[in-house]
Amino acid sequence: MNEKDRPTAMRTARNDYTAQKSPNHHDSTTGIPKPPSFNGSQLLEAQGMPRTATEPVTAVMMGLSISYLRFLRINGIGPASAMDRTGAVIYRRNDVLTYMHAHTRKGTL
């Protein structure tokens, strides 16, 4: 099945996924990793996040890919995180909301 034969919703979802999967992670002039910017609806959706959540759940709630959330954490520019006793990365809802609020585009609240 080629791209034209797919239902519009499938093409849109695939394009949205592709756009999320390969964001521009670096400032083109300095090469420094840059954090994402969020809008008001993403911030509102993240408020439904559990009190603590694993990396995959947090990525979905923030509207990011897991690899991009991991990229932010590794480069020290993501929300505060911790490891539980099994070694899984976890995020607290308050830390995620604080981070998202600090990186929300003005005029989108």
Side-chain angles (χ1 to χ4, degrees), residues 73-88:
R73 178 176 50 81
I74 290 168
N75 285 285
I77 56 173
S81 62
M83 290 189 130
D84 69 5
R85 58 185 159 195
T86 66

Side-chain angles (χ1 to χ4, degrees), residues 10-57:
M10 283 179 69
R11 282 187 302 220
T12 303
R14 181 170 179 251
N15 291 340
D16 289 346
Y17 176 75
T18 304
Q20 274 186 357
K21 193 83 169 143
S22 55
N24 182 4
H25 296 311
H26 293 84
D27 182 298
S28 60
T29 57
T30 63
I32 297 172
K34 63 182 181 181
S37 58
F38 301 96
N39 61 40
S41 63
Q42 288 172 307
L43 187 60
L44 188 62
E45 185 175 333
Q47 289 176 353
M49 180 177 164
R51 200 173 69 143
T52 59
T54 61
E55 199 167 39
V57 171

